[in-house]
């Protein structure tokens, strides 16, 4: 199975909680989690873009938004069906739309969780 690298905002309390859950579920160690909020960490994309929107690298493909979430889910056996369902026609578009709506309320959720 292709290893996935997840780029996440370690400065975001919401992101930290989600990544902590994903790390617990990733019992086979198929995901490398990289906190791109750390200026010393290497970041294969513009750091501001990586902090603003979820990114992952699957194989040699850089993914963002729903596609990045789906890649992470496919690497975790428990969530794999969700990741594969994201490949159905129209599903990524729907998930990206939902993710875009979430990004609008993310700052309020971050303040609430801080």
């Amino acid at each position: 199975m292709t290893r996935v690298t997840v780029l996440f905002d370690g400065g975001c309390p919401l992101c930290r909680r989600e990544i902590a859950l994903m790390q617990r579920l990733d019992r086979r160690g198929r995901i490398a989690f990289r906190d791109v909020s750390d200026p010393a960490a290497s970041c294969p994309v513009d750091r501001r873009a990586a902090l603003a929107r979820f990114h992952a690298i699957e194989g040699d493909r850089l993914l963002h938004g729903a596609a990045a979430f789906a890649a992470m889910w496919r690497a975790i056996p428990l969530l794999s069906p969700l990741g594969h369902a994201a490949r159905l026609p129209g599903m990524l578009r729907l998930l990206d739309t939902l993710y875009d709506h979430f990004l609008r309320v993310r700052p309020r959720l971050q303040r609430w969780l801080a």
Side-chain angles (χ1 to χ4, degrees):
M1 169 163 253
T2 303
R3 186 168 171 89
V4 175
T5 299
V6 166
L7 311 176
F8 73 98
D9 180 359
C12 165
L14 184 62
C15 302
R16 283 193 312 267
R17 287 178 185 212
E18 179 181 11
I19 293 302
L21 173 61
M22 295 300 122
Q23 287 173 322
R24 285 192 302 275
L25 293 175
D26 181 30
R27 293 186 178 128
R28 296 181 182 172
R30 292 182 175 166
I31 304 172
F33 295 93
R34 187 181 303 168
D35 178 359
V36 295
S37 70
D38 178 0
S42 69
C43 187
V45 296
D46 176 75
R47 193 172 307 278
R48 285 181 303 191
L51 293 171
R53 189 170 181 84
F54 191 72
H55 287 74
I57 302 165
E58 184 179 37
D60 60 350
R61 294 180 28 221
L62 176 66
L63 307 166
H64 62 87
F69 280 103
M72 179 176 65
W73 297 336
R74 283 190 297 274
I76 298 171
L78 181 67
L79 301 178
S80 182
L82 292 173
H84 290 292
R87 289 180 166 160
L88 294 173
M91 189 59 72
L92 270 183
R93 184 174 303 156
L94 172 64
L95 291 172
D96 260 330
T97 299
L98 294 172
Y99 183 57
D100 288 340
H101 289 296
F102 162 78
L103 288 176
R104 291 186 192 127
V105 298
R106 178 182 170 204
R108 283 179 272 177
L109 292 172
Q110 288 173 317
R111 286 190 298 274
W112 183 69
L113 288 172

